[in-house]
Amino acid sequence: MAISISHLTKRFGQTDVLRGIDLGVEKGELVALLGPSGSGKTTLLKIIAGLEWPDSGRLVVDEADWLQLAAQDRRIGFVFQHYALFPHMSVRDNLAFGLTVRPRSARPAKAVIAAKVEELLHFLQISHLGDRYPAQLSGGQRQRVALGRALAIEPSILLLDEPFGALDAAIRRDLRRWLRGVHEATGSTTIFVTHDQEEAFELADRVVVMGEGQIAQIGDADAIHDHPATPFVARFMGATVELPVTMQSGRARADGLDLTVLPRRALPDGPAQVFARPEDIIPQPDPAGPWRIISRTSNGANLRLVLRHPDLGEAELDTPRRAVAADCMIADASMRLRIAFGTIFPGDRRNPAPASEPENIPQLEKTP
Ligand SMILES: Nc1ncnc2c1ncn2[C@@H]1O[C@H](COP(=O)(O)OP(=O)(O)OP(=O)(O)O)[C@@H](O)[C@H]1O
Ligand SMILES: [Mg+2]
């Protein structure tokens, strides 16, 4: 089913948790909500599920006003981060639960439920686990069962709130691939919450980056990576080095920085900030360079250097340890820095990007 969310706001006490969310999800699409802790991801899912109500805004699903519908009438499949399966029920009974608790008139016959459960066990590749109890399952197996329980009711929409959050990286990767396959086979409209970038980009058709109750950017991996819409998205995507520069005829300049590979930007002359990832900053030994190495650590593959400039401040960067120039990367050495990739936002250090926000940011309702 297609979901259309407009101008949705939610406040808990004095806190604006959702500050005007506009989002459309197409039928059969898998969208990831990506954002730091506290950005409102779970609250948005709960509103879609009918477990929480917004203060204003609209939630329309296939032309029906869902804010008029109770949770049980929405047929949502919901998997939570720490999903408690019923510990006293076998995997089979857990899977059957959503169907067995339906009112008598809507409840399938016992044999139909049993057949459905067998089908799910097979489909989710957990047939060998049917008679086990949750305590006898690994974390990854439990989350597969949890997803099976959500799918058993043939949900109109599937909401997954960090379903793999508690599992280790290798299992997460396996489950991600498995979930993508399940999604392609069921074609259910799915919203997947995570704060893991890699997970979001690998799994989703589109990624929605949320920060402080607002949507900061919607796009695919390449667009969000290469063209962060705001300083917040840039930082969140790992461009953690922020250096003050001066714009002059569309070019960024600063003492000791080679910024010539950055494309010309239509920004007013004056102060701006360049945001770059530590690995996109290339140190170049130069006895006359204004940067000094003040710390150097190695993780084997990369050197992590911290450099200081008398006016621009500090920059932290990663450079391959085996690179030719790595021998010169010692404490107190003088350098220039080349920015191989970065994003420029207008404004001074305390207030980047005040003047022109990129056009793909939705206009937000001002809340009093
Ligand atoms: N029932 C509630 N009462 C009061 N405040 C709440 C309630 N639920 C959530 N909040 C607050 O709303 C904000 C957003 O919470 P939410 O759980 O939606 O964030 P999140 O993006 O899911 O974070 P996380 O990644 O940590 O799960 C937080 O500041 C939280 O403290
Ligand atoms: Mg949450």
Side-chain angles (χ1 to χ4, degrees):
M1 290 181 150
I3 307 171
S4 165
I5 293 166
S6 36
H7 310 312
L8 211 66
T9 68
K10 176 71 182 174
R11 154 179 278 223
F12 286 116
Q14 295 300 307
T15 318
D16 288 316
V17 173
L18 297 179
R19 301 192 288 159
I21 298 287
D22 292 292
L23 176 64
V25 180
E26 284 169 37
K27 181 177 177 344
E29 200 180 10
L30 198 172
V31 163
L33 291 185
L34 176 67
S37 193
S39 53
K41 306 180 298 292
T42 296
T43 304
L44 182 56
L45 283 203
K46 283 184 171 167
I47 289 174
I48 298 170
L51 305 173
E52 201 72 78
W53 249 257
D55 297 324
S56 65
R58 283 169 60 74
L59 168 63
V60 175
V61 176
D62 278 1
E63 286 163 32
D65 179 359
W66 268 26
L67 296 180
Q68 304 298 325
L69 277 189
Q72 64 268 24
D73 298 326
R74 297 186 192 187
R75 271 241 317 247
I76 293 279
F78 207 140
V79 179
F80 298 89
Q81 175 169 359
H82 298 286
Y83 201 83
L85 294 170
F86 299 117
H88 57 286
M89 285 186 196
S90 68
V91 166
R92 270 200 179 76
D93 291 343
N94 265 286
L95 290 177
F97 180 79
L99 298 171
T100 54
V101 295
R102 282 204 182 148
R104 193 176 293 271
S105 58
R107 194 187 313 154
K110 262 198 176 139
V112 174
I113 294 180
K116 174 91 204 168
V117 166
E118 290 313 309
E119 186 191 315
L120 268 173
L121 285 168
H122 179 72
F123 174 63
L124 300 174
Q125 301 156 26
I126 49 175
S127 297
H128 57 299
L129 305 175
D131 296 324
R132 294 219 203 152
Y133 286 82
Q136 301 166 322
L137 301 174
S138 73
Q141 290 168 337
R142 259 179 241 159
Q143 291 308 89
R144 288 181 201 233
V145 176
L147 188 68
R149 194 160 81 167
L151 288 171
I153 60 165
E154 291 174 7
S156 56
I157 292 170
L158 194 55
L159 303 176
L160 309 174
D161 193 356
E162 307 221 25
F164 311 143
L167 306 170
D168 72 44
I171 296 171
R172 287 174 81 120
R173 268 195 295 277
D174 282 353
L175 283 175
R176 217 180 284 163
R177 231 167 287 135
W178 171 85
L179 177 64
R180 184 73 222 185
V182 169
H183 176 260
E184 270 154 26
T186 59
S188 47
T189 307
T190 303
I191 302 181
F192 181 95
V193 165
T194 178
H195 52 239
D196 179 335
Q197 288 174 29
E198 191 185 310
E199 191 161 276
F201 290 124
E202 208 180 296
L203 199 54
D205 301 315
R206 282 189 306 154
V207 171
V208 177
V209 184
M210 279 183 73
E212 297 184 338
Q214 300 184 334
I215 292 177
Q217 191 166 3
I218 301 178
D220 64 16
D222 296 356
I224 293 174
H225 204 269
D226 291 356
H227 305 289
T230 64
F232 161 78
V233 178
R235 283 186 203 112
F236 187 68
M237 293 303 297
T240 50
V241 180
E242 305 174 28
L243 294 168
V245 295
T246 304
M247 294 308 292
Q248 221 172 45
S249 314
R251 288 265 171 226
R253 293 168 205 278
D255 174 48
L257 287 184
D258 175 355
L259 297 152
T260 48
V261 300
L262 299 189
R264 199 176 274 276
R265 290 275 323 263
L267 293 177
D269 286 356
Q273 303 288 316
V274 61
F275 285 64
R277 291 183 189 81
E279 63 272 23
D280 288 331
I281 306 176
I282 319 299
Q284 299 177 316
D286 177 352
W291 293 91
R292 293 266 179 291
I293 296 181
I294 57 171
S295 119
R296 171 194 199 269
T297 49
S298 169
N299 70 3
N302 285 319
L303 293 178
R304 169 145 288 211
L305 303 175
V306 182
L307 295 98
R308 187 178 290 145
H309 183 285
D311 304 319
L312 305 185
E314 288 184 4
E316 207 173 30
L317 53 98
D318 289 324
T319 194
R321 188 170 61 90
R322 294 194 185 283
V324 184
D327 286 349
C328 317
M329 305 296 163
I330 50 174
D332 234 26
S334 298
M335 302 282 150
R336 295 175 56 76
L337 301 181
R338 188 163 62 81
I339 308 288
F341 191 87
T343 310
I344 301 168
F345 293 100
D348 64 21
R349 180 164 266 182
R350 256 180 270 150
N351 191 22
S356 61
E357 293 284 354
E359 54 283 2
N360 55 346
I361 301 179
Q363 285 301 304
L364 302 167
E365 275 188 344
K366 292 271 177 288
T367 35

